[in-house]
Amino acid sequence: MKIILSLLFLSIPLFLFAEVDPHTVYTKDRFFVTTGEIDLQKSIDEVSIALLKYNEYSQWALNGMQGIDKESEGLIAYFTEINYLAESNLFLITFDLNLIWPFGRKGVELKFSPHQEYSETGQLKSIKMNPLLGTKLVQEANLEFSLKEDRNGVSIVYNSRIKLSEFVDFFFSLRSYKKNFEWYVYKVADNLSLYLEGK
């Protein structure tokens, strides 16, 4: 169960910025690398403001992931709540682990801290998510999301590199990684696009 919790924790920041069809590879140095981008017909200011409104993530990020409809029924985890704690600059994610006894759990809480980087002109350049791991099951985790502007609008480009411990890595294949986590990436990508389209 600790392995599942650790991987879910690392995947949550990815859920917040993802493309409809993410691409994940497994490298020779044992990293799971997920890359991609979302193309939006919005100005960079509109996208930046929406992404920086951390207290509004609860309005859209977890829609359709609660296990109350056919699309999410039977998933490994049901995400029930996301809150931004401004005083400590932390996201608090709550979910239920949908596994048989004794592995299933309700009300599991995970935390991560966002960090923004700006250009010399004050434009949002990237958001980095720093997971609070507290586990020896994951050796490294690098998560970065950047904005790219062109004539058609803005793209949110993301890159995630996760390196598991050798023991966990032995049991966790690329196929199982994709099967268990890419649906969440797909769903939040759709939620994010709908949210920004409504702005």
Side-chain angles (χ1 to χ4, degrees):
M1 184 171 70
K2 289 182 179 178
I3 295 171
I4 295 170
L5 291 175
S6 298
L7 290 171
L8 282 171
F9 181 76
L10 288 169
S11 298
I12 287 170
L14 275 181
F15 302 159
L16 300 178
F17 309 93
E19 66 175 352
V20 171
D21 188 20
H23 180 64
T24 303
V25 297
Y26 182 72
T27 66
K28 290 182 179 179
D29 52 352
R30 297 185 20 250
F31 278 92
F32 287 97
V33 180
T34 303
T35 57
E37 64 183 78
I38 312 170
D39 298 321
L40 302 164
Q41 294 183 341
K42 294 281 185 179
S43 73
I44 194 164
D45 288 336
E46 289 176 297
V47 175
S48 297
I49 290 170
L51 292 178
L52 289 170
K53 287 185 176 179
Y54 295 150
N55 60 331
E56 292 189 5
Y57 278 38
S58 60
Q59 298 177 18
W60 59 270
L62 305 182
N63 291 345
M65 297 186 184
Q66 296 85 5
I68 57 177
D69 52 32
K70 288 188 177 181
E71 188 178 16
S72 62
E73 185 180 7
L75 292 175
I76 195 170
Y78 299 144
F79 289 90
T80 57
E81 194 170 12
I82 178 170
N83 290 308
Y84 177 64
L85 311 177
E87 63 278 6
S88 52
N89 190 36
L90 290 173
F91 278 104
L92 180 63
I93 310 291
T94 306
F95 68 93
D96 297 336
L97 199 55
N98 183 33
L99 295 173
I100 60 171
W101 185 89
F103 304 108
R105 291 179 64 187
K106 289 189 177 292
V108 180
E109 293 184 343
L110 302 172
K111 297 177 182 177
F112 65 91
S113 175
H115 173 74
Q116 306 83 33
E117 186 176 334
Y118 296 88
S119 67
E120 293 180 357
T121 60
Q123 198 77 51
L124 180 65
K125 190 175 176 182
S126 66
I127 296 178
K128 295 180 181 179
M129 298 293 177
N130 303 310
L132 307 182
L133 298 176
T135 177
K136 295 181 180 179
L137 299 177
V138 177
Q139 290 184 0
E140 292 182 48
N142 301 301
L143 308 164
E144 184 173 1
F145 315 96
S146 7
L147 296 180
K148 182 176 69 176
E149 190 174 22
D150 59 30
R151 294 179 301 177
N152 300 317
V154 179
S155 296
I156 300 174
V157 181
Y158 65 87
N159 184 293
S160 168
R161 292 170 55 85
I162 297 173
K163 187 174 187 178
L164 306 175
S165 70
E166 289 189 26
F167 176 76
V168 176
D169 186 78
F170 180 78
F171 294 100
F172 215 86
S173 67
L174 174 61
R175 182 177 179 181
S176 60
Y177 184 93
K178 294 177 114 183
K179 181 179 178 181
N180 285 291
F181 298 106
E182 283 195 358
W183 183 87
Y184 297 105
V185 176
Y186 167 83
K187 186 59 181 173
V188 177
D190 189 48
N191 289 345
L192 176 57
S193 297
L194 292 172
Y195 173 73
L196 290 170
E197 285 173 7
K199 287 295 182 182

